[in-house]
């Protein structure tokens, strides 16, 4: 379980094809982050497993299957690509953002990006048709692992306003028109939908 509050940016430094997928090596600014093999880390919002790490924890590897690559934007990463990183929640820690599972539901597409005031950016993002029913004004969404508030919803697109803190500490500063983003809808909306379907 995650919160959608990105801890740090990582950088892809090596990509290696392996049986049935790809192995990625990520460089981070973490020092001694209490990582161990088998830990879960959200990579651009996709829950992946640490399979190897350096003594200082500033390098780690994860494996993505072909299925994971098909369902996420991890297949679009290249060497040097920035990635949003968040370790799984620990029991007892303060809960920010919203409840995030790290299970990517699909890929959204950036439609427009515009600076609306000093260092504040407005984005309109197109949501896949099969997910549009989960979005409401002032609701939550996870894009590339970032917990964000939906400002407006119009014709299957959502409006987002990103503040300087978010732009500085995540890969949102690299988002551009037509870029594909991992999207996870609010899990509470899916539970409510399932509950209502069971009662009908």
């Amino acid at each position: 379980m995650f919160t959608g509050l990105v801890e740090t940016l990582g950088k892809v430094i090596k990509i290696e094809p392996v049986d049935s997928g790809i192995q990625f090596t990520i460089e981070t600014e973490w020092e001694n982050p209490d990582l161990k093999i088998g830990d879960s880390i959200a990579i651009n919002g996709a829950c992946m497993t640490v399979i190897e790490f350096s003594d200082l924890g500033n390098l780690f590897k994860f494996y993505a299957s072909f299925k994971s690559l098909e369902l996420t934007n991890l297949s679009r990463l290249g060497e040097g690509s920035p990635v949003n990183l968040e370790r799984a929640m620990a029991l007892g820690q303060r809960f920010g953002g919203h409840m995030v599972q790290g299970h990517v539901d699909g890929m959204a597409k950036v439609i427009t990006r515009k600076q609306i005031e000093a260092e504040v950016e407005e984005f309109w993002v197109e949501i896949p048709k099969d997910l549009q029913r989960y979005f409401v004004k002032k609701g939550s969404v996870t894009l590339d692992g970032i917990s964000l508030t939906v400002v407006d919803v119009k014709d299957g697109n959502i409006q987002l306003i990103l503040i300087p803190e978010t732009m500085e500490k995540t890969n949102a500063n690299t988002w551009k028109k037509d870029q594909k983003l991992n999207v996870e809808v609010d899990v509470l909306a899916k539970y409510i939908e399932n509950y209502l379907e069971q009662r009908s």
Side-chain angles (χ1 to χ4, degrees), residues 6-191:
V6 174
E7 292 186 81
T8 189
L9 276 169
K11 182 172 68 174
V12 178
I13 62 170
K14 192 173 184 181
I15 299 174
E16 304 168 89
V18 295
D19 291 343
S20 71
I22 294 178
Q23 183 172 280
F24 295 85
T25 302
I26 306 295
E27 181 181 51
T28 81
E29 295 182 357
W30 276 326
E31 292 185 4
N32 301 311
D34 194 27
L35 283 180
K36 61 182 183 295
I37 292 174
D39 279 354
S40 295
I41 295 185
I43 316 288
N44 280 356
C47 181
M48 294 290 151
T49 301
V50 175
I51 60 173
E52 187 179 326
F53 62 93
S54 65
D55 290 340
L56 291 178
N58 63 328
L59 294 175
F60 72 90
K61 294 182 179 182
F62 74 93
Y63 161 82
S65 68
F66 287 137
K67 188 65 175 178
S68 294
L69 295 168
E70 177 187 342
L71 296 174
T72 71
N73 65 10
L74 299 179
S75 62
R76 298 168 184 263
L77 298 177
E79 292 186 1
S81 294
V83 288
N84 296 323
L85 303 176
E86 182 190 353
R87 290 168 292 180
M89 283 184 64
L91 286 175
Q93 78 180 65
R94 182 172 294 172
F95 190 98
H98 72 284
M99 192 179 297
V100 177
Q101 294 181 301
H103 300 161
V104 175
D105 293 305
M107 282 188 282
K109 183 173 72 171
V110 176
I111 302 300
T112 62
R113 171 179 175 173
K114 181 174 67 175
Q115 183 172 322
I116 56 175
E117 55 184 90
E119 301 183 63
V120 176
E121 302 266 359
E122 176 198 63
F123 292 84
W124 279 93
V125 175
E126 181 182 11
I127 300 299
K129 287 185 178 180
D130 62 326
L131 301 178
Q132 291 174 6
R133 65 186 183 276
Y134 296 114
F135 289 84
V136 296
K137 292 181 182 180
K138 299 183 181 179
S140 297
V141 63
T142 308
L143 292 175
D144 264 11
I146 310 169
S147 174
L148 298 167
T149 298
V150 176
V151 176
D152 199 1
V153 181
K154 184 177 182 181
D155 299 327
N157 301 328
I158 60 172
Q159 181 191 34
L160 307 164
I161 303 296
L162 273 61
I163 61 175
E165 177 80 2
T166 304
M167 298 299 294
E168 178 184 346
K169 294 190 174 180
T170 72
N171 71 359
N173 61 75
T174 68
W175 294 355
K176 55 183 182 294
K177 188 179 186 311
D178 294 330
Q179 184 164 336
K180 297 286 189 175
L181 307 175
N182 291 331
V183 57
E184 179 183 333
V185 303
D186 189 343
V187 66
L188 295 179
K190 290 189 282 188
Y191 278 124

